[in-house]
């Protein structure tokens, strides 16, 4: 006998970082299990301590962490938790990061700049992560930064379904906020029945963060309800300026749809006071009470993440969740 087999020993454990435990609990509920308890605390000098309260030996461990403000704190907590699970002999560790941190720093625009998205991937791998799961990466190339499987999930089907059902009787045009997301706008158009697309030509000052100059609209938006689709909203400056440009170009109204609602100040005030009809996001990141406003609609991505986790655990196909479409 050359091997020894222990039948029926495959097990799953779910862990939640402290950044957004409500999302982790919702995901666990859809899977039909509970978050594994752990001790987590900060020392007086800011150092982080975590310890799982149950054995994880041989388990398929999933670490769910939403990297919100203060982002560096939660990145470090993720790394420490992954390290703890590795040293506790978890069989496989998957980091479920609905919002991938530092995703905008995915290439060098000028000399002497870091590629921080690659650094995050290296840190996760060094800590002991075997797999990463994330939603709507800023660019698809980030998948290649991690030396291991990356499950890239897409919120577009959820957002597009909501828009198609809510605005079924409107003349819709899908608008890309810049030339780099025209392909995403085409996918949006396919999802909502072949709506026309347009894009906004804009320039960005590489020396000033979050500052964009929207120049002109390319495409027919006159008299149409425009869906301004992007992957994230940070300060809200870009999308509000783009929406104003669409109104000036003759759009009847504008709705904004984005996966990640970062909502750094003063995003909530900008969006609340803007002319847009509705802002639609998912709950990849937590929102404080002051970040919510009447025009805001939040769609839960917990069911989708739960299905993806179950597919990974059962060695199934995550791609099948999206009909092979990206």
């Amino acid at each position: 006998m050359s091997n020894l087999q222990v039948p029926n020993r495959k097990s799953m454990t779910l862990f939640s970082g402290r950044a957004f435990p409500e999302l982790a609990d919702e995901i666990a509920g859809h899977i039909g299990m509970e978050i594994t308890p752990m001790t987590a605390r900060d020392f007086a000098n800011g150092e982080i301590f975590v310890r799982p309260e149950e054995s994880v030996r041989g388990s398929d461990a999933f670490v769910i962490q939403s990297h919100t403000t203060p982002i560096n704190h939660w990145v470090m907590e993720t790394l420490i938790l992954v390290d703890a699970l590795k040293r506790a002999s978890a069989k496989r560790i998957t980091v479920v990061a609905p919002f991938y941190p530092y995703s905008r720093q995915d290439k060098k625009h000028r000399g002497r700049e870091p590629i921080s998205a690659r650094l995050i991937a290296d840190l996760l791998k060094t800590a002991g992560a075997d797999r990463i799961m994330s939603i709507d990466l800023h660019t698809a190339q980030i998948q290649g930064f991690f030396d291991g499987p990356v499950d890239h999930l897409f919120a577009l089907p959820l957002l597009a379904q909501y828009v198609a059902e809510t605005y079924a009787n409107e003349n819709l045009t899908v608008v890309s906020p810049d030339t780099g997301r025209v392909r995403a706008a085409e996918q949006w158009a396919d999802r909502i029945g072949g709506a026309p697309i347009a894009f906004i030509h804009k320039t960005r000052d590489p020396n000033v963060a979050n500052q964009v100059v929207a120049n002109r609209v390319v495409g027919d938006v006159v008299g149409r309800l425009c869906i301004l689709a992007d992957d994230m909203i940070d300060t809200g400056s870009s999308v509000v300026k783009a929406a104003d440009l669409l109104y000036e170009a003759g759009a009847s109204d504008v709705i904004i749809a984005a996966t990640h609602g970062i909502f750094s100040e003063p995003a909530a005030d900008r969006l609340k006071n803007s002319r847009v009809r509705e802002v639609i996001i998912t709950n990849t990141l937590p929102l404080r009470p002051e970040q919510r406003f009447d025009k805001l609609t939040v769609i839960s991505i917990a069911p989708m993440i739960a299905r993806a986790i179950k597919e990974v655990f059962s060695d199934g196909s995550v791609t099948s969740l999206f009909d092979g479409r990206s």
Side-chain angles (χ1 to χ4, degrees), residues 8-253:
N8 302 321
R9 283 295 300 272
K10 191 171 184 180
S11 63
M12 181 199 300
T13 51
L14 294 179
F15 291 88
S16 172
R18 292 176 293 167
F20 194 8
E22 295 82 2
L23 176 60
D25 287 338
E26 188 178 352
I27 293 169
H30 284 285
I31 295 174
M33 57 186 299
E34 295 181 353
I35 297 295
T36 304
M38 71 175 189
T39 298
R41 61 175 180 266
D42 297 339
F43 291 104
N45 67 346
E47 292 180 3
I48 299 168
F49 172 84
V50 296
R51 178 182 180 272
E53 294 298 325
E54 296 179 2
S55 174
V56 298
R57 184 177 297 275
S59 73
D60 206 344
F62 292 83
V63 176
I64 305 169
Q65 180 77 293
S66 292
H67 296 97
T68 185
T69 304
I71 192 167
N72 296 328
H73 186 84
W74 302 128
V75 167
M76 198 66 203
E77 182 180 85
T78 304
L79 296 172
I80 293 173
L81 178 53
V82 169
D83 182 77
L85 294 172
K86 177 183 69 174
R87 298 179 188 281
S89 301
K91 183 177 181 180
R92 180 173 64 173
I93 303 170
T94 300
V95 173
V96 181
F99 174 70
Y100 188 93
Y102 287 87
S103 60
R104 284 173 287 187
Q105 298 182 40
D106 62 330
K107 58 183 174 292
K108 292 177 66 172
H109 296 276
R110 299 173 300 163
R112 301 182 299 281
E113 288 188 345
I115 303 180
S116 305
R118 170 59 190 267
L119 174 61
I120 293 294
D122 290 343
L123 290 169
L124 290 170
K125 186 66 177 180
T126 300
D130 300 291
R131 191 180 194 106
I132 294 176
M133 184 181 295
S134 193
I135 300 176
D136 284 345
L137 295 168
H138 190 57
T139 54
Q141 72 189 37
I142 293 174
Q143 296 175 83
F145 293 169
F146 183 73
D147 186 15
V150 175
D151 298 302
H152 189 193
L153 311 184
F154 304 97
L156 191 155
L158 297 175
L159 295 170
Q161 180 182 1
Y162 173 85
V163 169
E165 293 174 354
T166 306
Y167 299 99
N169 299 320
E170 302 273 3
N171 291 321
L172 301 175
T173 292
V174 181
V175 181
S176 171
D178 53 48
T179 55
R181 295 193 60 80
V182 170
R183 174 58 182 153
E186 292 173 345
Q187 293 168 344
W188 259 93
D190 290 342
R191 288 277 181 175
I192 60 176
I197 67 171
F199 69 89
I200 293 174
H201 179 268
K202 68 181 183 182
T203 57
R204 185 183 298 271
D205 186 349
N207 296 309
V208 183
N210 301 114
Q211 291 295 319
V212 171
V213 177
N215 296 322
R216 62 191 178 93
V217 177
V218 179
D220 182 17
V221 299
V222 176
R224 306 184 70 86
L225 173 61
C226 291
I227 308 163
L228 191 56
D230 209 346
D231 64 323
M232 67 178 72
I233 303 174
D234 192 351
T235 64
S237 175
S238 298
V239 289
V240 169
K241 289 177 181 177
D244 290 340
L245 199 64
L246 290 170
Y247 283 115
E248 292 172 9
S252 62
D253 218 336

